[in-house]
Amino acid sequence: MVDVKVEVRGIRELNSAFKAVDAGLSRELKAAFWGIANAVVGKIQQRMPHDHGDAAGSVKPRATAKGAGIAFGGTKAPYMPWLDFGGSVGRGHVPGQAWSGAIKRDWLGVPSGEGRYVYPAISEERGATAAAVDEAIAKVAKHAGFETTGSGD
């Protein structure tokens, strides 16, 4: 499986500096990160078929003042990993034994193992996500009274 993530370095230190100025800034940063993750969730849900129960609805944004993530599956749609990544489930499935179940979903078109919906959408949104993080940090910094300049200034 491919590990796909967008990493912004220095967020922890920035958050600590914001807390020193105003504790409310952490809440603003968390809200901004949640909004960014929610936008990516929307892209994931657009990619997904909507005839598979609660799978699309199980994709949810998560955020803290230090970053954001995306959760999916869980008790609402425990089959979501199977839907996204493929494999076999159902009668005759033996845990740990690949392709032993009666219901099979192949990996066709997904040779890298990155899945069909979640990781491809995250990868496609990487540039927009980075730009949105920059914008959110600049907005919170400005609200805190910091002057912001363009990169390299």
Side-chain angles (χ1 to χ4, degrees):
M1 187 179 317
V2 175
D3 184 19
V4 179
K5 69 181 186 180
V6 178
E7 184 177 331
V8 179
R9 295 192 177 134
I11 293 293
R12 188 171 290 139
E13 295 82 4
L14 178 66
N15 189 42
S16 294
F18 283 161
K19 278 184 182 178
V21 174
D22 181 353
L25 297 176
S26 291
R27 284 190 298 273
E28 287 183 41
L29 206 52
K30 177 182 176 180
F33 288 155
W34 187 91
I36 293 165
N38 193 48
V40 177
V41 164
K43 298 292 184 178
I44 293 167
Q45 290 173 335
Q46 287 174 1
R47 296 175 75 100
M48 295 181 68
H50 293 277
D51 58 348
H52 289 287
D54 292 327
S58 78
V59 183
K60 302 284 184 193
R62 300 286 186 254
T64 69
K66 297 176 183 170
I70 296 169
F72 60 89
T75 57
K76 186 173 182 178
Y79 54 89
M80 176 59 191
W82 170 82
L83 185 65
D84 198 3
F85 301 105
S88 69
V89 296
R91 193 168 279 161
H93 179 73
V94 178
Q97 186 176 345
W99 301 103
S100 59
I103 304 169
K104 296 173 177 32
R105 182 165 173 85
D106 63 19
W107 290 86
L108 183 65
V110 195
S112 64
E114 69 181 14
R116 291 171 174 83
Y117 314 114
V118 177
Y119 292 124
I122 292 169
S123 291
E124 287 174 14
E125 292 300 307
R126 182 172 283 162
T129 297
V133 169
D134 283 347
E135 184 178 320
I137 290 170
K139 182 179 176 183
V140 173
K142 185 175 182 180
H143 184 253
F146 293 100
E147 290 186 30
T148 58
T149 60
S151 62
D153 288 345

